[in-house]
């Protein structure tokens, strides 16, 4: 680099030149042209502040490098891909379901330009954004009608607000659920403007409890799927057919929050039983709500399916406008729903289902593939072994339903318990600093990298090679 050309000011001096002169240096003016003057200016000011704190001559080369690094850090994407080796397939914090190629292509196809999102191309007039997915939902669930919103929490909120504003909704005490994050049924109900009428006890609720609670103030009966925990022992819950009988008797709708809401029989794939949307409707639910990015394996969305007259009321609610999905989400959801029309290939083509049903032998093979390169990368202070592991479905599915899997287990060879704990944390942090961060889980004095969700080990190994060795 020809220094005088790059730094018209002297390369080192006792004091820095003015901010304007620094910004005019070719390296920095090029940086401004790419990322904007304001970011570079902030970075120059931060650099000058740092320089003032140390008692040293001003070094233009080091200063420029510092400015450049800070700018690049500021413009680096915050949201980016990671390797989910936690063993939890539908990990809410890691973005839940990975999308099928077909869904990604559909999103890209509509993202850049205008689409017929709310435009009926046959009639040449205004259409409804639900039109793109409603027929598919109805086909796969047997529902008369369906509408789609931002997520299942929004689906529950909108349904309750539409059907039970300022009135009572009867729910069993055993189903007043909290799902990770901030979804608590009693809170959602309050925000929806409904009054919660709890019946029964935590462990036992009988049909008669519902019947006795119904009054002129009642607007709906509700059942919520308590899929993320299980009450065992002396228990009783009221199933849909009995609830539906009571709802019919009083002319009330039965709303069921399914949560995961699978469209196919999970046991046919060797997975734990989950009620399907179709069977829930057949058992007498009038409206069912479920997520798009749980077992369905699609984009974040909340699907509301059921009786046409109730869906019409829900769709007419002004809140629907506040909770609706965008064109990319609808394009992705439509593509995923299309994949369900072939039950023979859906488990292969929807990644969430493919990962959940991945054979243990294949996972074991992947763990074996990455163990060697990992051993080189972590160094001689670690024991690296392939070990059987248990993965989970995640996202509100029963944590007890564990799937046989395989992992690479990294165990520190030296140090007392406290030091080993520190080494595990440091290694986790080092894995998170890789170009594509790797997220595992610490369990029993070891770091486990569950390989269920790692289908292609080549890029994983490649980034271990390029990554710099331990700082
Ligand atoms: C997951 C879940 C929700 C919340 O769904 P989101 O799509 O995360 O908003 C609500 N109810 C039940 C029963 C759930 O399992």
């Amino acid at each position: 680099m020809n220094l005088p050309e790059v730094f018209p000011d002297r390369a080192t001096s006792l004091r820095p030149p003015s901010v304007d002169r620094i910004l005019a240096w070719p390296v920095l003016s090029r940086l401004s042209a790419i990322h904007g003057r304001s970011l570079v200016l902030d970075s120059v000011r931060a650099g000058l502040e740092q320089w003032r704190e140390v008692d040293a001559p001003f070094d233009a080369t080091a200063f420029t490098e510092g400015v450049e690094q800070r700018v690049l850090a500021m413009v680096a994407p915050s949201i980016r891909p990671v390797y989910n080796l936690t063993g939890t397939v539908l990990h809410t914090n890691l973005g839940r379901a990975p999308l099928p190629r077909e869904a990604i292509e559909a999103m890209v196809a509509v993202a850049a330009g205008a689409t017929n999102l709310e435009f009926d191309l046959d009639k040449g007039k205004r259409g409804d954004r639900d039109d793109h997915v409603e027929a598919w939902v109805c086909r796969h669930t047997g529902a008369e009608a369906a509408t789609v919103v931002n997520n299942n929490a929004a689906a529950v909120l909108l349904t309750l607000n539409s059907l039970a504003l300022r009135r009572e909704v009867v729910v069993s005490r055993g189903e007043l659920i909290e799902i990770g994050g901030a979804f608590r049924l009693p809170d959602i109900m309050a925000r929806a403007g409904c009054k919660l009428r709890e019946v029964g006890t935590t462990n036992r609720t009988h049909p008669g409890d519902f019947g006795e609670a119904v009054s002129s103030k009642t607007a709906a009966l509700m059942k919520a799927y308590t899929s993320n925990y299980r009450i065992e022992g002396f228990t009783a819950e009221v199933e849909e057919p009995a609830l539906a009988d009571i709802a019919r008797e009083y002319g009330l709708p039965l709303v069921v929050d399914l949560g995961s809401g699978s469209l196919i029989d999970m046991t046919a794939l060797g997975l734990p039983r989950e009620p399907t949307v179709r069977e829930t409707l057949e058992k007498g639910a009038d409206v069912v709500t479920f997520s798009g990015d749980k077992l369905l394996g699609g984009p974040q969305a909340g699907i509301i399916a059921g009786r046409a007259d109730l869906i019409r009321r829900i769709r007419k609610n002004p809140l629907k406008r506040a909770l609706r999905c965008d064109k990319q989400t609808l394009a992705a959801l439509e593509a995923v729903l299309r994949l369900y029309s072939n039950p023979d290939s859906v488990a292969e083509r929807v990644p969430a289902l493919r990962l959940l049903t991945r054979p243990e032998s294949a996972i074991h093979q992947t763990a074996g593939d990455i163990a060697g390169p990992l051993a080189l990368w972590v160094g001689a202070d670690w024991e690296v072994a392939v070990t059987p592991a248990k993965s989970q479905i995640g996202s509100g599915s029963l944590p007890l339903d564990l799937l046989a899997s395989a992992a690479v287990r990294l165990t520190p060879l030296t140090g007392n318990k406290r030091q080993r704990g520190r080494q595990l944390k440091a290694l986790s942090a080092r894995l998170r600093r890789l170009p594509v961060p790797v997220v595992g889980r610490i369990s029993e004095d070891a770091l486990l990298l569950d390989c269920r969700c790692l289908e292609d080990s080549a890029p994983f190994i490649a980034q271990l090679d390029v990554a710099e060795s331990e700082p």
Side-chain angles (χ1 to χ4, degrees), residues 251-324:
L252 297 168
L254 171 59
V255 175
V256 177
D257 174 20
L258 261 188
S260 257
S262 161
L263 297 182
I264 54 174
D265 176 11
M266 289 288 142
T267 61
L269 302 179
L271 291 169
R273 218 193 91 75
E274 275 283 334
T276 65
V277 180
R278 181 184 294 277
E279 76 190 47
T280 308
L281 288 165
E282 279 170 1
K283 283 190 200 160
D286 296 297
V287 175
V288 175
T289 63
F290 56 103
S291 293
D293 53 356
K294 292 186 181 173
L295 284 176
L296 188 65
Q300 180 188 298
I303 302 169
I304 311 174
R307 249 167 58 192
D309 60 321
L310 300 173
I311 298 297
R312 208 172 308 124
R313 275 168 67 190
I314 291 168
R315 201 179 270 144
K316 280 206 319 237
N317 186 334
L319 263 185
K320 167 82 199 309
R321 175 69 162 72
L323 303 173
R324 70 188 185 186

Side-chain angles (χ1 to χ4, degrees), residues 152-162 188-189 191-192 319 323:
N152 188 39
V156 174
L157 178 78
L158 181 66
T159 301
L160 292 171
N161 182 269
S162 308
I188 294 277
M189 212 172 265
R191 294 290 169 155
L319 263 185
L323 303 173

Side-chain angles (χ1 to χ4, degrees), residues 420-437:
R420 288 201 307 270
R422 267 206 299 274
Q423 290 179 65
L424 285 169
K425 278 199 185 136
L427 181 61
S428 306
R430 197 180 153 205
L431 283 162
R432 291 197 305 272
R433 284 195 302 269
L434 283 166
V436 179

Side-chain angles (χ1 to χ4, degrees), residues 115-394:
T115 69
N116 62 335
L117 178 64
E118 286 185 356
F119 184 67
D120 186 327
L121 289 171
D122 285 336
K123 301 195 180 112
K125 57 179 197 185
R126 200 199 153 132
D128 190 309
R129 61 182 70 206
D130 283 343
D131 291 346
H132 306 290
V133 291
E134 184 178 20
W136 282 118
V137 174
C138 293
R139 188 180 180 87
H140 296 325
T141 64
E144 289 173 11
T147 182
V148 182
V149 286
N150 181 61
N151 57 14
N152 188 39
V156 174
L157 178 78
L158 181 66
T159 301
L160 292 171
N161 182 269
S162 308
L163 304 181
L165 183 60
R166 287 189 282 275
R167 297 177 64 200
E168 288 185 0
V169 178
V170 189
V171 189
S172 162
R173 280 212 168 81
E175 294 171 6
L176 295 177
I177 51 172
E178 171 177 314
I179 317 278
F183 182 91
R184 284 179 156 191
L185 194 55
D187 297 343
I188 294 277
M189 212 172 265
R191 294 290 169 155
C194 318
K195 230 185 138 230
L196 170 64
R197 182 82 160 81
E198 303 171 38
V199 297
T201 60
T202 304
N203 58 328
R204 288 175 75 83
T205 303
H206 306 280
D209 296 328
F210 279 89
E212 280 165 29
V214 171
S215 73
S216 59
K217 295 185 215 132
T218 312
L221 306 188
M222 181 165 185
K223 184 171 179 66
Y225 267 82
T226 58
S227 47
N228 60 353
Y229 70 99
R230 184 181 279 165
I231 300 179
E232 304 217 35
F234 186 57
T235 64
E237 66 173 309
V238 189
E239 302 286 348
E240 283 91 345
L243 277 176
D245 284 346
I246 302 164
R248 290 290 116 71
E249 188 181 334
Y250 295 98
L252 297 168
L254 171 59
V255 175
V256 177
D257 174 20
L258 261 188
S260 257
S262 161
L263 297 182
I264 54 174
D265 176 11
M266 289 288 142
T267 61
L269 302 179
L271 291 169
R273 218 193 91 75
E274 275 283 334
T276 65
V277 180
R278 181 184 294 277
E279 76 190 47
T280 308
L281 288 165
E282 279 170 1
K283 283 190 200 160
D286 296 297
V287 175
V288 175
T289 63
F290 56 103
S291 293
D293 53 356
K294 292 186 181 173
L295 284 176
L296 188 65
Q300 180 188 298
I303 302 169
I304 311 174
R307 249 167 58 192
D309 60 321
L310 300 173
I311 298 297
R312 208 172 308 124
R313 275 168 67 190
I314 291 168
R315 201 179 270 144
K316 280 206 319 237
N317 186 334
L319 263 185
K320 167 82 199 309
R321 175 69 162 72
L323 303 173
R324 70 188 185 186
C325 302
D326 69 343
K327 59 180 178 177
Q328 283 89 231
T329 300
L330 288 164
L333 184 60
E334 181 193 357
V336 174
L337 290 169
R338 201 183 307 117
L339 295 178
Y340 275 87
S341 56
N342 186 349
D344 297 332
S345 63
V346 67
E348 183 54 36
R349 291 166 82 186
V350 172
L353 298 177
R354 187 171 70 233
L355 293 173
L356 287 169
T357 56
R358 195 167 168 218
E360 192 186 348
S361 58
I363 306 172
H364 198 273
Q365 165 96 47
T366 305
D369 290 346
I370 67 169
L374 269 171
L376 287 176
W377 187 74
V378 293
D381 296 339
W382 294 82
E383 183 196 63
V384 179
V386 174
T387 173
K390 297 281 186 199
S391 13
Q392 307 186 4
I393 298 175

